[in-house]
Amino acid sequence: MVHVFTHFRLELEVWSAPVPPESFANGWWSPPAALKGEALPTLFRKVLAQAGFS
């Protein structure tokens, strides 16, 4: 996936992995159905769309 900022080009390789439920206590998690309502940067939204979460 490629994202272009005004002064540089960023190329990402995005991976996914299953996360065990006991890991949810650490960090921030949002269920896939709630992602559209989250305040996320455009780059994050592009990654989610590429992963099929849009």
Side-chain angles (χ1 to χ4, degrees):
M1 185 185 123
V2 175
H3 182 78
V4 180
F5 293 91
T6 55
H7 55 286
F8 69 96
R9 178 179 184 263
L10 177 65
E11 187 169 336
L12 302 172
E13 185 173 336
V14 178
W15 294 64
S16 66
V19 178
E22 59 271 12
S23 299
F24 293 174
N26 299 318
W28 170 83
W29 298 91
S30 183
L35 289 172
K36 287 187 180 189
E38 298 293 350
L40 299 172
T42 301
L43 176 58
F44 289 16
R45 294 204 178 279
K46 281 180 151 182
V47 168
L48 290 169
Q50 187 76 20
F53 291 104
S54 62

mmCIF file of all heavy atoms in Angstrom:
data_model
loop_
_atom_site.group_PDB
_atom_site.id
_atom_site.type_symbol
_atom_site.label_atom_id
_atom_site.label_comp_id
_atom_site.label_asym_id
_atom_site.label_seq_id
_atom_site.Cartn_x
_atom_site.Cartn_y
_atom_site.Cartn_z
ATOM 1 N N MET A 1 0.846 -1.166 0.000
ATOM 2 C CA MET A 1 0.000 0.000 0.000
ATOM 3 C C MET A 1 0.893 1.230 0.000
ATOM 4 O O MET A 1 1.911 1.263 0.674
ATOM 5 C CB MET A 1 -0.880 0.009 1.233
ATOM 6 C CG MET A 1 -1.868 1.127 1.242
ATOM 7 S SD MET A 1 -2.758 1.136 2.790
ATOM 8 C CE MET A 1 -2.358 2.758 3.272
ATOM 9 N N VAL A 2 0.510 2.253 -0.745
ATOM 10 C CA VAL A 2 1.282 3.490 -0.831
ATOM 11 C C VAL A 2 0.414 4.656 -0.387
ATOM 12 O O VAL A 2 -0.760 4.740 -0.734
ATOM 13 C CB VAL A 2 1.776 3.730 -2.275
ATOM 14 C CG1 VAL A 2 2.458 5.066 -2.397
ATOM 15 C CG2 VAL A 2 2.701 2.605 -2.702
ATOM 16 N N HIS A 3 0.997 5.540 0.407
ATOM 17 C CA HIS A 3 0.331 6.768 0.843
ATOM 18 C C HIS A 3 1.305 7.901 0.584
ATOM 19 O O HIS A 3 2.485 7.799 0.888
ATOM 20 C CB HIS A 3 -0.019 6.694 2.329
ATOM 21 C CG HIS A 3 -0.741 7.889 2.844
ATOM 22 N ND1 HIS A 3 -2.091 8.080 2.625
ATOM 23 C CD2 HIS A 3 -0.320 8.953 3.552
ATOM 24 C CE1 HIS A 3 -2.463 9.216 3.196
ATOM 25 N NE2 HIS A 3 -1.395 9.765 3.765
ATOM 26 N N VAL A 4 0.828 8.983 -0.023
ATOM 27 C CA VAL A 4 1.702 10.095 -0.351
ATOM 28 C C VAL A 4 1.351 11.298 0.520
ATOM 29 O O VAL A 4 0.211 11.747 0.545
ATOM 30 C CB VAL A 4 1.588 10.465 -1.846
ATOM 31 C CG1 VAL A 4 2.499 11.623 -2.178
ATOM 32 C CG2 VAL A 4 1.917 9.257 -2.708
ATOM 33 N N PHE A 5 2.344 11.777 1.247
ATOM 34 C CA PHE A 5 2.223 13.013 2.007
ATOM 35 C C PHE A 5 2.696 14.144 1.098
ATOM 36 O O PHE A 5 3.168 13.901 -0.008
ATOM 37 C CB PHE A 5 3.097 12.948 3.272
ATOM 38 C CG PHE A 5 2.630 11.931 4.278
ATOM 39 C CD1 PHE A 5 3.111 10.634 4.237
ATOM 40 C CD2 PHE A 5 1.718 12.268 5.257
ATOM 41 C CE1 PHE A 5 2.694 9.689 5.161
ATOM 42 C CE2 PHE A 5 1.297 11.334 6.194
ATOM 43 C CZ PHE A 5 1.781 10.042 6.137
ATOM 44 N N THR A 6 2.619 15.371 1.541
ATOM 45 C CA THR A 6 3.019 16.484 0.682
ATOM 46 C C THR A 6 4.514 16.478 0.380
ATOM 47 O O THR A 6 4.929 16.966 -0.653
ATOM 48 C CB THR A 6 2.656 17.846 1.320
ATOM 49 O OG1 THR A 6 3.246 17.914 2.615
ATOM 50 C CG2 THR A 6 1.152 18.016 1.411
ATOM 51 N N HIS A 7 5.328 15.916 1.252
ATOM 52 C CA HIS A 7 6.771 15.982 1.058
ATOM 53 C C HIS A 7 7.476 14.630 1.009
ATOM 54 O O HIS A 7 8.691 14.579 0.890
ATOM 55 C CB HIS A 7 7.404 16.862 2.146
ATOM 56 C CG HIS A 7 7.070 16.420 3.534
ATOM 57 N ND1 HIS A 7 5.829 16.616 4.097
ATOM 58 C CD2 HIS A 7 7.802 15.787 4.460
ATOM 59 C CE1 HIS A 7 5.828 16.111 5.320
ATOM 60 N NE2 HIS A 7 7.003 15.610 5.565
ATOM 61 N N PHE A 8 6.736 13.524 1.124
ATOM 62 C CA PHE A 8 7.368 12.216 0.954
ATOM 63 C C PHE A 8 6.326 11.137 0.676
ATOM 64 O O PHE A 8 5.139 11.314 0.922
ATOM 65 C CB PHE A 8 8.236 11.839 2.170
ATOM 66 C CG PHE A 8 7.476 11.557 3.433
ATOM 67 C CD1 PHE A 8 7.140 10.261 3.786
ATOM 68 C CD2 PHE A 8 7.117 12.583 4.296
ATOM 69 C CE1 PHE A 8 6.459 9.993 4.963
ATOM 70 C CE2 PHE A 8 6.450 12.328 5.472
ATOM 71 C CZ PHE A 8 6.118 11.037 5.802
ATOM 72 N N ARG A 9 6.813 10.043 0.144
ATOM 73 C CA ARG A 9 5.983 8.893 -0.202
ATOM 74 C C ARG A 9 6.254 7.804 0.832
ATOM 75 O O ARG A 9 7.402 7.527 1.168
ATOM 76 C CB ARG A 9 6.387 8.416 -1.591
ATOM 77 C CG ARG A 9 5.663 7.223 -2.088
ATOM 78 C CD ARG A 9 6.183 6.912 -3.507
ATOM 79 N NE ARG A 9 5.476 5.826 -4.104
ATOM 80 C CZ ARG A 9 5.901 4.560 -4.113
ATOM 81 N NH1 ARG A 9 7.047 4.251 -3.556
ATOM 82 N NH2 ARG A 9 5.188 3.623 -4.676
ATOM 83 N N LEU A 10 5.207 7.193 1.340
ATOM 84 C CA LEU A 10 5.327 6.138 2.341
ATOM 85 C C LEU A 10 4.776 4.850 1.756
ATOM 86 O O LEU A 10 3.649 4.812 1.269
ATOM 87 C CB LEU A 10 4.541 6.520 3.604
ATOM 88 C CG LEU A 10 4.497 5.503 4.727
ATOM 89 C CD1 LEU A 10 5.885 5.277 5.309
ATOM 90 C CD2 LEU A 10 3.534 5.966 5.808
ATOM 91 N N GLU A 11 5.581 3.812 1.773
ATOM 92 C CA GLU A 11 5.128 2.507 1.299
ATOM 93 C C GLU A 11 5.036 1.577 2.496
ATOM 94 O O GLU A 11 5.995 1.438 3.265
ATOM 95 C CB GLU A 11 6.106 1.943 0.273
ATOM 96 C CG GLU A 11 5.602 0.679 -0.376
ATOM 97 C CD GLU A 11 6.440 0.258 -1.567
ATOM 98 O OE1 GLU A 11 7.107 1.113 -2.173
ATOM 99 O OE2 GLU A 11 6.406 -0.941 -1.874
ATOM 100 N N LEU A 12 3.866 0.971 2.685
ATOM 101 C CA LEU A 12 3.616 0.108 3.841
ATOM 102 C C LEU A 12 3.392 -1.330 3.410
ATOM 103 O O LEU A 12 2.783 -1.587 2.379
ATOM 104 C CB LEU A 12 2.353 0.561 4.584
ATOM 105 C CG LEU A 12 2.310 1.979 5.105
ATOM 106 C CD1 LEU A 12 0.918 2.290 5.626
ATOM 107 C CD2 LEU A 12 3.325 2.173 6.182
ATOM 108 N N GLU A 13 3.841 -2.229 4.226
ATOM 109 C CA GLU A 13 3.481 -3.634 4.097
ATOM 110 C C GLU A 13 2.677 -3.952 5.352
ATOM 111 O O GLU A 13 3.199 -3.877 6.471
ATOM 112 C CB GLU A 13 4.733 -4.504 4.014
ATOM 113 C CG GLU A 13 4.413 -5.947 3.765
ATOM 114 C CD GLU A 13 5.665 -6.770 3.522
ATOM 115 O OE1 GLU A 13 6.698 -6.218 3.113
ATOM 116 O OE2 GLU A 13 5.593 -7.987 3.767
ATOM 117 N N VAL A 14 1.409 -4.244 5.185
ATOM 118 C CA VAL A 14 0.504 -4.427 6.323
ATOM 119 C C VAL A 14 0.267 -5.915 6.553
ATOM 120 O O VAL A 14 -0.042 -6.650 5.625
ATOM 121 C CB VAL A 14 -0.841 -3.707 6.067
ATOM 122 C CG1 VAL A 14 -1.789 -3.928 7.227
ATOM 123 C CG2 VAL A 14 -0.593 -2.231 5.811
ATOM 124 N N TRP A 15 0.428 -6.317 7.785
ATOM 125 C CA TRP A 15 0.208 -7.707 8.194
ATOM 126 C C TRP A 15 -0.919 -7.746 9.218
ATOM 127 O O TRP A 15 -1.168 -6.775 9.909
ATOM 128 C CB TRP A 15 1.471 -8.268 8.854
ATOM 129 C CG TRP A 15 2.640 -8.398 7.939
ATOM 130 C CD1 TRP A 15 3.306 -7.375 7.317
ATOM 131 C CD2 TRP A 15 3.269 -9.588 7.523
ATOM 132 N NE1 TRP A 15 4.325 -7.869 6.567
ATOM 133 C CE2 TRP A 15 4.331 -9.238 6.669
ATOM 134 C CE3 TRP A 15 3.057 -10.928 7.802
ATOM 135 C CZ2 TRP A 15 5.159 -10.168 6.096
ATOM 136 C CZ3 TRP A 15 3.897 -11.854 7.224
ATOM 137 C CH2 TRP A 15 4.927 -11.482 6.378
ATOM 138 N N SER A 16 -1.567 -8.869 9.307
ATOM 139 C CA SER A 16 -2.574 -9.050 10.357
ATOM 140 C C SER A 16 -2.319 -10.377 11.052
ATOM 141 O O SER A 16 -1.679 -11.272 10.492
ATOM 142 C CB SER A 16 -3.991 -9.015 9.775
ATOM 143 O OG SER A 16 -4.189 -10.122 8.926
ATOM 144 N N ALA A 17 -2.805 -10.465 12.272
ATOM 145 C CA ALA A 17 -2.631 -11.688 13.051
ATOM 146 C C ALA A 17 -3.765 -11.784 14.060
ATOM 147 O O ALA A 17 -4.279 -10.764 14.526
ATOM 148 C CB ALA A 17 -1.291 -11.656 13.785
ATOM 149 N N PRO A 18 -4.162 -12.993 14.417
ATOM 150 C CA PRO A 18 -5.179 -13.136 15.462
ATOM 151 C C PRO A 18 -4.590 -12.713 16.808
ATOM 152 O O PRO A 18 -3.405 -12.908 17.068
ATOM 153 C CB PRO A 18 -5.513 -14.631 15.441
ATOM 154 C CG PRO A 18 -4.338 -15.291 14.797
ATOM 155 C CD PRO A 18 -3.726 -14.278 13.876
ATOM 156 N N VAL A 19 -5.433 -12.100 17.623
ATOM 157 C CA VAL A 19 -5.003 -11.641 18.947
ATOM 158 C C VAL A 19 -5.865 -12.343 19.986
ATOM 159 O O VAL A 19 -7.093 -12.275 19.924
ATOM 160 C CB VAL A 19 -5.165 -10.107 19.071
ATOM 161 C CG1 VAL A 19 -4.770 -9.644 20.460
ATOM 162 C CG2 VAL A 19 -4.347 -9.394 18.009
ATOM 163 N N PRO A 20 -5.234 -13.015 20.944
ATOM 164 C CA PRO A 20 -6.033 -13.702 21.970
ATOM 165 C C PRO A 20 -6.784 -12.696 22.844
ATOM 166 O O PRO A 20 -6.262 -11.618 23.146
ATOM 167 C CB PRO A 20 -4.995 -14.481 22.785
ATOM 168 C CG PRO A 20 -3.681 -13.853 22.472
ATOM 169 C CD PRO A 20 -3.805 -13.191 21.140
ATOM 170 N N PRO A 21 -8.011 -13.008 23.234
ATOM 171 C CA PRO A 21 -8.838 -12.080 24.023
ATOM 172 C C PRO A 21 -8.168 -11.570 25.299
ATOM 173 O O PRO A 21 -8.397 -10.442 25.704
ATOM 174 C CB PRO A 21 -10.096 -12.886 24.354
ATOM 175 C CG PRO A 21 -10.159 -13.935 23.308
ATOM 176 C CD PRO A 21 -8.727 -14.238 22.934
ATOM 177 N N GLU A 22 -7.301 -12.364 25.915
ATOM 178 C CA GLU A 22 -6.653 -11.897 27.144
ATOM 179 C C GLU A 22 -5.705 -10.718 26.879
ATOM 180 O O GLU A 22 -5.346 -9.989 27.799
ATOM 181 C CB GLU A 22 -5.907 -13.031 27.862
ATOM 182 C CG GLU A 22 -4.825 -13.702 27.052
ATOM 183 C CD GLU A 22 -5.316 -14.888 26.220
ATOM 184 O OE1 GLU A 22 -6.523 -15.081 26.072
ATOM 185 O OE2 GLU A 22 -4.456 -15.612 25.716
ATOM 186 N N SER A 23 -5.342 -10.489 25.634
ATOM 187 C CA SER A 23 -4.490 -9.348 25.274
ATOM 188 C C SER A 23 -5.266 -8.039 25.204
ATOM 189 O O SER A 23 -4.668 -6.970 25.162
ATOM 190 C CB SER A 23 -3.830 -9.591 23.922
ATOM 191 O OG SER A 23 -3.015 -10.728 23.974
ATOM 192 N N PHE A 24 -6.581 -8.095 25.186
ATOM 193 C CA PHE A 24 -7.402 -6.900 25.033
ATOM 194 C C PHE A 24 -7.302 -5.945 26.223
ATOM 195 O O PHE A 24 -7.663 -4.787 26.113
ATOM 196 C CB PHE A 24 -8.865 -7.263 24.806
ATOM 197 C CG PHE A 24 -9.141 -7.952 23.490
ATOM 198 C CD1 PHE A 24 -10.389 -8.446 23.213
ATOM 199 C CD2 PHE A 24 -8.160 -8.098 22.526
ATOM 200 C CE1 PHE A 24 -10.662 -9.069 22.005
ATOM 201 C CE2 PHE A 24 -8.416 -8.727 21.325
ATOM 202 C CZ PHE A 24 -9.669 -9.210 21.063
ATOM 203 N N ALA A 25 -6.820 -6.417 27.365
ATOM 204 C CA ALA A 25 -6.708 -5.559 28.543
ATOM 205 C C ALA A 25 -5.627 -4.492 28.353
ATOM 206 O O ALA A 25 -5.668 -3.447 28.986
ATOM 207 C CB ALA A 25 -6.402 -6.392 29.777
ATOM 208 N N ASN A 26 -4.677 -4.748 27.474
ATOM 209 C CA ASN A 26 -3.578 -3.813 27.226
ATOM 210 C C ASN A 26 -3.801 -3.086 25.912
ATOM 211 O O ASN A 26 -4.047 -3.693 24.889
ATOM 212 C CB ASN A 26 -2.241 -4.554 27.156
ATOM 213 C CG ASN A 26 -1.911 -5.260 28.447
ATOM 214 O OD1 ASN A 26 -2.119 -4.710 29.520
ATOM 215 N ND2 ASN A 26 -1.427 -6.472 28.356
ATOM 216 N N GLY A 27 -3.746 -1.762 25.932
ATOM 217 C CA GLY A 27 -3.898 -0.999 24.696
ATOM 218 C C GLY A 27 -5.332 -0.575 24.441
ATOM 219 O O GLY A 27 -6.212 -0.702 25.302
ATOM 220 N N TRP A 28 -5.543 -0.061 23.251
ATOM 221 C CA TRP A 28 -6.859 0.412 22.830
ATOM 222 C C TRP A 28 -7.381 -0.504 21.740
ATOM 223 O O TRP A 28 -6.667 -0.801 20.790
ATOM 224 C CB TRP A 28 -6.744 1.846 22.299
ATOM 225 C CG TRP A 28 -7.976 2.345 21.638
ATOM 226 C CD1 TRP A 28 -9.059 2.886 22.246
ATOM 227 C CD2 TRP A 28 -8.260 2.335 20.248
ATOM 228 N NE1 TRP A 28 -10.013 3.221 21.318
ATOM 229 C CE2 TRP A 28 -9.543 2.888 20.068
ATOM 230 C CE3 TRP A 28 -7.579 1.901 19.119
ATOM 231 C CZ2 TRP A 28 -10.137 3.021 18.828
ATOM 232 C CZ3 TRP A 28 -8.171 2.035 17.880
ATOM 233 C CH2 TRP A 28 -9.438 2.602 17.756
ATOM 234 N N TRP A 29 -8.603 -0.961 21.869
ATOM 235 C CA TRP A 29 -9.213 -1.854 20.892
ATOM 236 C C TRP A 29 -10.604 -1.346 20.551
ATOM 237 O O TRP A 29 -11.310 -0.830 21.399
ATOM 238 C CB TRP A 29 -9.320 -3.281 21.459
ATOM 239 C CG TRP A 29 -7.991 -3.864 21.778
ATOM 240 C CD1 TRP A 29 -7.328 -3.791 22.970
ATOM 241 C CD2 TRP A 29 -7.130 -4.574 20.891
ATOM 242 N NE1 TRP A 29 -6.115 -4.418 22.877
ATOM 243 C CE2 TRP A 29 -5.968 -4.910 21.604
ATOM 244 C CE3 TRP A 29 -7.222 -4.957 19.557
ATOM 245 C CZ2 TRP A 29 -4.911 -5.612 21.040
ATOM 246 C CZ3 TRP A 29 -6.173 -5.662 18.996
ATOM 247 C CH2 TRP A 29 -5.035 -5.979 19.729
ATOM 248 N N SER A 30 -10.968 -1.491 19.300
ATOM 249 C CA SER A 30 -12.303 -1.107 18.858
ATOM 250 C C SER A 30 -12.849 -2.236 18.001
ATOM 251 O O SER A 30 -12.147 -2.742 17.126
ATOM 252 C CB SER A 30 -12.222 0.182 18.028
ATOM 253 O OG SER A 30 -13.495 0.611 17.647
ATOM 254 N N PRO A 31 -14.088 -2.648 18.219
ATOM 255 C CA PRO A 31 -14.647 -3.712 17.376
ATOM 256 C C PRO A 31 -14.758 -3.219 15.928
ATOM 257 O O PRO A 31 -14.983 -2.024 15.690
ATOM 258 C CB PRO A 31 -16.023 -3.985 17.980
ATOM 259 C CG PRO A 31 -16.309 -2.863 18.904
ATOM 260 C CD PRO A 31 -15.029 -2.182 19.232
ATOM 261 N N PRO A 32 -14.592 -4.102 14.960
ATOM 262 C CA PRO A 32 -14.650 -3.695 13.551
ATOM 263 C C PRO A 32 -15.891 -2.883 13.184
ATOM 264 O O PRO A 32 -15.805 -1.923 12.422
ATOM 265 C CB PRO A 32 -14.609 -5.020 12.794
ATOM 266 C CG PRO A 32 -13.853 -5.933 13.707
ATOM 267 C CD PRO A 32 -14.265 -5.523 15.103
ATOM 268 N N ALA A 33 -17.034 -3.223 13.768
ATOM 269 C CA ALA A 33 -18.272 -2.506 13.440
ATOM 270 C C ALA A 33 -18.238 -1.050 13.906
ATOM 271 O O ALA A 33 -18.966 -0.207 13.385
ATOM 272 C CB ALA A 33 -19.471 -3.220 14.064
ATOM 273 N N ALA A 34 -17.390 -0.724 14.880
ATOM 274 C CA ALA A 34 -17.325 0.635 15.422
ATOM 275 C C ALA A 34 -16.235 1.496 14.769
ATOM 276 O O ALA A 34 -16.128 2.687 15.066
ATOM 277 C CB ALA A 34 -17.086 0.571 16.924
ATOM 278 N N LEU A 35 -15.438 0.935 13.882
ATOM 279 C CA LEU A 35 -14.297 1.665 13.313
ATOM 280 C C LEU A 35 -14.697 2.909 12.528
ATOM 281 O O LEU A 35 -13.980 3.905 12.542
ATOM 282 C CB LEU A 35 -13.455 0.736 12.437
ATOM 283 C CG LEU A 35 -12.668 -0.317 13.203
ATOM 284 C CD1 LEU A 35 -12.017 -1.301 12.237
ATOM 285 C CD2 LEU A 35 -11.628 0.332 14.087
ATOM 286 N N LYS A 36 -15.838 2.866 11.848
ATOM 287 C CA LYS A 36 -16.254 4.042 11.064
ATOM 288 C C LYS A 36 -16.479 5.274 11.935
ATOM 289 O O LYS A 36 -16.288 6.389 11.496
ATOM 290 C CB LYS A 36 -17.509 3.736 10.250
ATOM 291 C CG LYS A 36 -17.228 2.845 9.076
ATOM 292 C CD LYS A 36 -18.434 2.689 8.189
ATOM 293 C CE LYS A 36 -18.072 1.778 7.037
ATOM 294 N NZ LYS A 36 -19.081 1.713 6.031
ATOM 295 N N GLY A 37 -16.841 5.090 13.184
ATOM 296 C CA GLY A 37 -17.092 6.201 14.076
ATOM 297 C C GLY A 37 -15.863 6.675 14.846
ATOM 298 O O GLY A 37 -15.939 7.645 15.588
ATOM 299 N N GLU A 38 -14.742 6.000 14.664
ATOM 300 C CA GLU A 38 -13.520 6.371 15.383
ATOM 301 C C GLU A 38 -12.809 7.530 14.676
ATOM 302 O O GLU A 38 -12.858 7.649 13.461
ATOM 303 C CB GLU A 38 -12.566 5.178 15.481
ATOM 304 C CG GLU A 38 -13.110 3.993 16.255
ATOM 305 C CD GLU A 38 -13.293 4.261 17.736
ATOM 306 O OE1 GLU A 38 -12.839 5.298 18.241
ATOM 307 O OE2 GLU A 38 -13.899 3.405 18.397
ATOM 308 N N ALA A 39 -12.150 8.368 15.439
ATOM 309 C CA ALA A 39 -11.381 9.495 14.890
ATOM 310 C C ALA A 39 -9.993 8.987 14.502
ATOM 311 O O ALA A 39 -9.078 8.946 15.313
ATOM 312 C CB ALA A 39 -11.282 10.604 15.918
ATOM 313 N N LEU A 40 -9.872 8.539 13.264
ATOM 314 C CA LEU A 40 -8.615 7.961 12.779
ATOM 315 C C LEU A 40 -8.038 8.802 11.642
ATOM 316 O O LEU A 40 -8.785 9.342 10.825
ATOM 317 C CB LEU A 40 -8.849 6.535 12.267
ATOM 318 C CG LEU A 40 -9.361 5.523 13.279
ATOM 319 C CD1 LEU A 40 -9.720 4.217 12.589
ATOM 320 C CD2 LEU A 40 -8.332 5.291 14.363
ATOM 321 N N PRO A 41 -6.703 8.877 11.552
ATOM 322 C CA PRO A 41 -6.087 9.578 10.428
ATOM 323 C C PRO A 41 -6.403 8.869 9.098
ATOM 324 O O PRO A 41 -6.696 7.669 9.070
ATOM 325 C CB PRO A 41 -4.584 9.490 10.722
ATOM 326 C CG PRO A 41 -4.476 9.133 12.159
ATOM 327 C CD PRO A 41 -5.728 8.381 12.509
ATOM 328 N N THR A 42 -6.309 9.614 8.015
ATOM 329 C CA THR A 42 -6.582 9.069 6.686
ATOM 330 C C THR A 42 -5.730 7.840 6.402
ATOM 331 O O THR A 42 -6.223 6.850 5.848
ATOM 332 C CB THR A 42 -6.334 10.140 5.612
ATOM 333 O OG1 THR A 42 -7.195 11.248 5.875
ATOM 334 C CG2 THR A 42 -6.607 9.609 4.215
ATOM 335 N N LEU A 43 -4.479 7.881 6.776
ATOM 336 C CA LEU A 43 -3.600 6.734 6.529
ATOM 337 C C LEU A 43 -4.137 5.478 7.215
ATOM 338 O O LEU A 43 -4.168 4.405 6.614
ATOM 339 C CB LEU A 43 -2.179 7.037 7.012
ATOM 340 C CG LEU A 43 -1.184 5.889 6.911
ATOM 341 C CD1 LEU A 43 -1.067 5.385 5.474
ATOM 342 C CD2 LEU A 43 0.165 6.320 7.437
ATOM 343 N N PHE A 44 -4.583 5.591 8.450
ATOM 344 C CA PHE A 44 -5.137 4.436 9.156
ATOM 345 C C PHE A 44 -6.387 3.924 8.444
ATOM 346 O O PHE A 44 -6.601 2.722 8.335
ATOM 347 C CB PHE A 44 -5.485 4.788 10.598
ATOM 348 C CG PHE A 44 -4.315 5.014 11.506
ATOM 349 C CD1 PHE A 44 -3.035 5.224 11.017
ATOM 350 C CD2 PHE A 44 -4.494 5.049 12.868
ATOM 351 C CE1 PHE A 44 -1.967 5.444 11.859
ATOM 352 C CE2 PHE A 44 -3.438 5.270 13.734
ATOM 353 C CZ PHE A 44 -2.162 5.465 13.226
ATOM 354 N N ARG A 45 -7.228 4.833 7.980
ATOM 355 C CA ARG A 45 -8.446 4.421 7.257
ATOM 356 C C ARG A 45 -8.096 3.681 5.968
ATOM 357 O O ARG A 45 -8.768 2.718 5.601
ATOM 358 C CB ARG A 45 -9.324 5.632 6.975
ATOM 359 C CG ARG A 45 -9.880 6.235 8.257
ATOM 360 C CD ARG A 45 -11.148 7.020 8.014
ATOM 361 N NE ARG A 45 -11.651 7.536 9.262
ATOM 362 C CZ ARG A 45 -12.376 6.837 10.140
ATOM 363 N NH1 ARG A 45 -12.688 5.595 9.893
ATOM 364 N NH2 ARG A 45 -12.794 7.389 11.260
ATOM 365 N N LYS A 46 -7.043 4.118 5.278
ATOM 366 C CA LYS A 46 -6.605 3.431 4.062
ATOM 367 C C LYS A 46 -6.143 2.009 4.380
ATOM 368 O O LYS A 46 -6.452 1.066 3.653
ATOM 369 C CB LYS A 46 -5.458 4.195 3.392
ATOM 370 C CG LYS A 46 -5.869 5.384 2.605
ATOM 371 C CD LYS A 46 -4.638 6.031 2.009
ATOM 372 C CE LYS A 46 -4.901 6.737 0.723
ATOM 373 N NZ LYS A 46 -3.668 7.302 0.153
ATOM 374 N N VAL A 47 -5.402 1.866 5.466
ATOM 375 C CA VAL A 47 -4.924 0.537 5.880
ATOM 376 C C VAL A 47 -6.116 -0.357 6.218
ATOM 377 O O VAL A 47 -6.177 -1.512 5.792
ATOM 378 C CB VAL A 47 -3.966 0.651 7.085
ATOM 379 C CG1 VAL A 47 -3.701 -0.713 7.699
ATOM 380 C CG2 VAL A 47 -2.652 1.302 6.668
ATOM 381 N N LEU A 48 -7.073 0.159 6.964
ATOM 382 C CA LEU A 48 -8.266 -0.618 7.307
ATOM 383 C C LEU A 48 -9.051 -1.021 6.057
ATOM 384 O O LEU A 48 -9.531 -2.153 5.962
ATOM 385 C CB LEU A 48 -9.156 0.157 8.273
ATOM 386 C CG LEU A 48 -8.594 0.312 9.688
ATOM 387 C CD1 LEU A 48 -9.422 1.318 10.473
ATOM 388 C CD2 LEU A 48 -8.536 -1.026 10.400
ATOM 389 N N ALA A 49 -9.177 -0.110 5.100
ATOM 390 C CA ALA A 49 -9.877 -0.425 3.858
ATOM 391 C C ALA A 49 -9.142 -1.520 3.087
ATOM 392 O O ALA A 49 -9.767 -2.448 2.555
ATOM 393 C CB ALA A 49 -10.020 0.830 3.004
ATOM 394 N N GLN A 50 -7.832 -1.430 3.040
ATOM 395 C CA GLN A 50 -7.018 -2.445 2.347
ATOM 396 C C GLN A 50 -7.182 -3.806 3.011
ATOM 397 O O GLN A 50 -7.181 -4.824 2.354
ATOM 398 C CB GLN A 50 -5.548 -2.015 2.379
ATOM 399 C CG GLN A 50 -4.626 -2.886 1.570
ATOM 400 C CD GLN A 50 -4.742 -2.633 0.087
ATOM 401 O OE1 GLN A 50 -5.212 -1.599 -0.340
ATOM 402 N NE2 GLN A 50 -4.323 -3.582 -0.704
ATOM 403 N N ALA A 51 -7.368 -3.801 4.333
ATOM 404 C CA ALA A 51 -7.534 -5.054 5.084
ATOM 405 C C ALA A 51 -8.973 -5.561 5.074
ATOM 406 O O ALA A 51 -9.267 -6.593 5.636
ATOM 407 C CB ALA A 51 -7.062 -4.848 6.519
ATOM 408 N N GLY A 52 -9.891 -4.794 4.457
ATOM 409 C CA GLY A 52 -11.267 -5.240 4.351
ATOM 410 C C GLY A 52 -12.164 -4.792 5.490
ATOM 411 O O GLY A 52 -13.227 -5.358 5.714
ATOM 412 N N PHE A 53 -11.755 -3.759 6.231
ATOM 413 C CA PHE A 53 -12.534 -3.275 7.364
ATOM 414 C C PHE A 53 -13.205 -1.934 7.103
ATOM 415 O O PHE A 53 -13.425 -1.157 8.014
ATOM 416 C CB PHE A 53 -11.658 -3.142 8.620
ATOM 417 C CG PHE A 53 -11.216 -4.461 9.173
ATOM 418 C CD1 PHE A 53 -9.932 -4.899 8.971
ATOM 419 C CD2 PHE A 53 -12.090 -5.248 9.892
ATOM 420 C CE1 PHE A 53 -9.516 -6.122 9.480
ATOM 421 C CE2 PHE A 53 -11.684 -6.460 10.408
ATOM 422 C CZ PHE A 53 -10.392 -6.899 10.197
ATOM 423 N N SER A 54 -13.526 -1.640 5.870
ATOM 424 C CA SER A 54 -14.152 -0.337 5.596
ATOM 425 C C SER A 54 -15.635 -0.479 5.347
ATOM 426 O O SER A 54 -16.151 -1.518 5.165
ATOM 427 C CB SER A 54 -13.508 0.332 4.408
ATOM 428 O OG SER A 54 -13.676 -0.443 3.243
#
